[in-house]
Amino acid sequence: MNTDVNYLIMKKSEKEWIEKLVEFGCVVCRKYYDANTPPCIHHIREGLGKGQRNSWDNCLSLCYEHHQGNDGFHSGKQTWIEKYGTEYELLEWMKERM
């Protein structure tokens, strides 16, 4: 069991959602490369102020490379969106397949 403080104070439904995200794997790898890679959890921050975090329902599962790597969201947001779509488009695609 994860002992991260945030994980310990999460609601049961939030924990179940995160577990589904982890099982699903990286949404970009799955959609574009038909691969299932271990994910990190990425909070969608579109439309939020600096330093704010979205709810757990608005998270994507992204592997390290598509999250923070050379081809990652945090390495070039606009290029990433042009290549893979918006965070909310990917979230919708992922939820339709879960």
Side-chain angles (χ1 to χ4, degrees), residues 35-97:
N36 189 351
T37 53
C40 306
I41 303 302
H42 168 76
H43 285 84
I44 297 173
R45 293 189 45 208
E46 183 179 325
L48 299 177
K50 195 170 191 165
Q52 289 180 311
R53 180 178 272 182
N54 215 330
S55 72
W56 288 104
D57 292 336
N58 291 314
C59 290
L60 291 174
S61 54
L62 297 172
C63 67
Y64 176 81
E65 183 61 25
H66 291 120
H67 189 219
Q68 296 172 310
N70 292 331
D71 194 26
F73 182 86
H74 295 292
S75 295
K77 178 181 174 180
Q78 193 56 43
T79 302
W80 191 90
I81 289 171
E82 290 169 7
K83 190 171 183 178
Y84 301 117
T86 69
E87 297 163 286
Y88 283 110
E89 289 169 344
L90 286 171
L91 180 64
E92 183 179 325
W93 183 89
M94 183 178 68
K95 285 182 175 182
E96 289 172 356
R97 284 150 183 82

Side-chain angles (χ1 to χ4, degrees), residues 3-11 14-15 53 56:
T3 58
D4 184 317
V5 172
N6 290 331
Y7 190 81
L8 293 174
I9 60 172
M10 293 170 75
K11 297 176 188 172
E14 293 170 333
K15 290 179 185 179
R53 180 178 272 182
W56 288 104

